[in-house]
């Protein structure tokens, strides 16, 4: 389990990253983001690794959105 101080560093690190503009992405990838101007923070941070690398990539995210928790 991550300590609170490590979590704060990760959150701050994610917040200061610039967002990747969709028009700066390779043409073959732009179609998946039609209607969007930029990637979100997580997508922007992982974009280079996902597009320019042949290394394995594991991204974990919560499976429940806030919309699903409100009945």
């Amino acid at each position: 389990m991550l300590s609170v101080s490590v979590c704060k560093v990760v959150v701050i690190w994610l917040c200061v990253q610039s967002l990747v503009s969709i028009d700066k992405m390779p043409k073959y990838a732009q179609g998946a983001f039609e209607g969007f101007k930029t990637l979100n923070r997580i997508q922007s941070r992982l974009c280079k690794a996902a597009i320019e690398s042949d290394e394995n990539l594991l991204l974990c995210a919560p499976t429940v959105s806030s919309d699903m928790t409100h009945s």
Side-chain angles (χ1 to χ4, degrees):
M1 179 164 242
L2 294 175
S3 70
V4 173
S5 61
V6 171
C7 290
K8 286 180 184 177
V9 169
V10 170
V11 169
I12 291 168
W13 177 72
L14 286 172
C15 290
V16 297
Q17 299 295 315
S18 60
L19 300 179
V20 172
S21 177
I22 301 301
D23 62 357
K24 300 293 183 191
M25 296 174 60
K27 292 290 184 199
Y28 68 84
Q30 291 180 15
F33 299 95
E34 187 174 332
F36 293 92
K37 294 180 182 180
T38 63
L39 297 178
N40 66 32
R41 289 187 318 262
I42 301 295
Q43 292 166 335
S44 293
R45 179 64 187 108
L46 296 174
C47 183
K48 185 172 182 166
I51 292 178
E52 298 177 12
S53 172
D54 62 354
E55 295 294 320
N56 294 330
L57 178 67
L58 173 63
L59 171 63
C60 300
T63 57
V64 177
S65 74
S66 60
D67 292 339
M68 295 177 68
T69 60
H70 297 91
S71 299

